[in-house]
Amino acid sequence: MTKITGSVARYEDWLREQLGDELVEADLARKHDRMRSSAFAFLRATYWRWSETIGSICPEALLVPPILSIGDTHLENFGTWRDADGRLVWGANDFDEAAVMPYVLDLIRLAASAMLASNAGPKGAICDAIWNGYAAGLAAPGPVILERDHRWLRETILLPEKERAKWWAKLDRSAGPVPLRFQTALAAAMPERDLSITMFARSAGTGSLGRPRYVAVAEWLGGPVVREGKAILPAAWATFGPGKSCSIKAGDIAAGRNRAVDPHYRIVNELVVRRLSPNSRKIEVEDAGDLLMSQDLLKLMGREIACCHAGDSALVAAVRDDVKQRDGRCLEKAARAAADAIMRDYKAYA
């Protein structure tokens, strides 16, 4: 297995080849600092490393049926948005690394991320919650709508007034030129043509640091409208792992037949374009750590992964059959091995 320092260098060389002058070197330095800050942040920042090593860490995981999967699952890969009817929806909201892979990898990575996060609780309980949620979600796939149900979740994640003000203040406005493909895509995502738009670079996320990201803000009908565009690259599962297709699958899984999709999410000219607002955002550990690591929400995360997987109608039957033969103990064994390997890499890098 390649040492972590060599793996980082290889990945960043590839990133430079892909992005050329668009690579944000300052964000790479910021990413390195985050990788040293905690094992959980290290996992978030290094999905390519997961792709190249998980087959050696958990070889049996590669033998289960494949399905179109999220790929980079972890505690913070879930958030909220408004669907076409204006309903508040919670679920997975980052599909940059989507690819066809063994279905259990999404579950292993989520469980490993919870094990690496602080106050995550008993490892067996984590895996049972995720596995039980996944099995239930496969049996009856559907989105998590917060308009009427799941009051406990809605009341926790809706931002109060002070936090809404902080959210708007976080939209940093870094001066500098905006590449033409971002200008075109962001302008086209606005609700009307010919609006007066301010565009600027934005630094956000962890795994995507280094990739260019720009935001457009306009005033429309008495209030602000915000869109974000982020570069998307071929999935690491094929580039660094055993996957066979490098085609971008983010749009396919995001628009799955069982999901209450975000109508503003689209893939345009190798960019992910989406709406941003205080209620269209990721839920992060620093904001809601106890909630993210609760048994109830871990179960919902498992259910949401199943909802995404069930959109692959050609492959889901084999996955359902395989799930009936397993339980949370199988997941725990694999997730422990993955978390231990990530911790070793993190300590070596830090």
Side-chain angles (χ1 to χ4, degrees):
M1 189 182 297
T2 307
K3 289 184 178 181
I4 183 58
T5 50
S7 179
V8 170
R10 178 183 172 222
Y11 170 73
E12 293 183 358
D13 286 345
W14 174 80
L15 203 60
R16 291 184 177 92
E17 290 175 4
Q18 295 292 313
L19 295 173
D21 293 341
E22 287 188 349
L23 179 75
V24 185
E25 292 284 356
D27 274 0
L28 278 187
R30 189 175 293 111
K31 182 175 183 176
H32 297 162
D33 288 341
R34 291 189 185 177
M35 288 166 64
R36 296 184 181 99
S37 66
S38 71
F40 175 73
F42 182 90
L43 174 140
R44 280 205 56 188
T46 55
Y47 181 71
W48 87 88
R49 178 65 169 173
W50 171 274
S51 297
E52 73 179 7
T53 61
I54 192 61
S56 298
I57 298 164
C58 302
E60 67 283 355
L62 301 189
L63 303 178
V64 306
I67 203 159
L68 180 57
S69 301
I70 299 166
D72 188 15
T73 49
H74 52 76
L75 287 177
E76 294 184 337
N77 195 9
F78 298 85
T80 54
W81 63 90
R82 297 280 181 182
D83 71 1
D85 198 55
R87 299 178 303 175
L88 186 64
V89 186
W90 171 93
N93 67 352
D94 188 334
F95 303 101
D96 291 9
E97 296 290 355
V100 175
M101 64 185 68
Y103 78 89
V104 76
L105 293 183
D106 274 352
L107 306 176
I108 294 172
R109 186 167 168 84
L110 174 60
S113 78
M115 290 178 183
L116 293 169
S118 60
N119 303 317
K123 294 177 173 58
I126 290 169
C127 295
D128 283 343
I130 293 170
W131 185 265
N132 292 339
Y134 184 75
L138 275 186
V144 178
I145 308 296
L146 302 183
E147 291 302 295
R148 179 192 63 198
D149 304 325
H150 309 289
R151 176 180 174 181
W152 60 273
L153 179 56
R154 182 177 66 250
E155 290 182 345
T156 303
I157 64 178
L158 283 178
L159 289 179
E161 288 307 311
K162 285 186 178 181
E163 294 302 316
R164 291 176 69 87
K166 288 181 182 178
W167 186 91
W168 286 106
K170 283 183 180 179
L171 282 182
D172 49 316
R173 304 188 176 222
S174 304
V178 178
L180 180 60
R181 68 177 179 135
F182 284 88
Q183 293 182 40
T184 303
L186 290 170
M190 287 292 170
E192 286 185 8
R193 292 185 177 182
D194 303 321
L195 294 178
S196 178
I197 303 172
T198 300
M199 296 188 187
F200 49 90
R202 181 180 183 224
S203 178
T206 300
S208 60
L209 285 172
R211 305 184 188 194
R213 185 191 298 251
Y214 293 89
V215 170
V217 180
E219 288 290 320
W220 180 61
L221 298 179
V225 174
V226 186
R227 301 288 185 266
E228 180 190 72
K230 176 181 65 173
I232 188 169
L233 298 174
W237 183 246
T239 307
F240 296 91
K244 293 179 170 46
S245 173
C246 289
S247 61
I248 293 171
K249 298 288 189 180
D252 296 338
I253 193 168
R257 58 181 177 159
N258 303 297
R259 308 190 77 238
V261 302
D262 180 349
H264 298 289
Y265 180 99
R266 62 196 70 177
I267 308 296
V268 182
N269 195 19
E270 297 182 333
L271 302 176
V272 178
V273 179
R274 69 173 79 211
R275 173 178 180 262
L276 295 184
S277 84
N279 289 323
S280 294
R281 64 187 183 94
K282 287 186 179 297
I283 312 301
E284 298 183 345
V285 168
E286 68 174 314
D287 297 326
D290 290 343
L291 171 69
L292 287 177
M293 290 176 282
S294 69
Q295 295 293 298
D296 288 339
L297 197 54
L298 288 170
K299 188 173 182 178
L300 274 188
M301 289 176 181
R303 171 181 159 180
E304 170 65 4
I305 293 171
C307 179
C308 293
H309 286 184
D312 190 341
S313 57
L315 298 175
V316 70
V319 171
R320 287 193 174 109
D321 288 343
D322 191 79
V323 167
K324 293 174 184 176
Q325 304 172 37
R326 304 177 190 275
D327 57 26
R329 288 172 294 178
C330 299
L331 176 59
E332 181 183 357
K333 178 182 176 182
R336 281 179 180 271
D340 289 345
I342 293 161
M343 182 62 76
R344 288 193 297 270
D345 267 352
Y346 160 65
K347 289 180 177 179
Y349 190 78

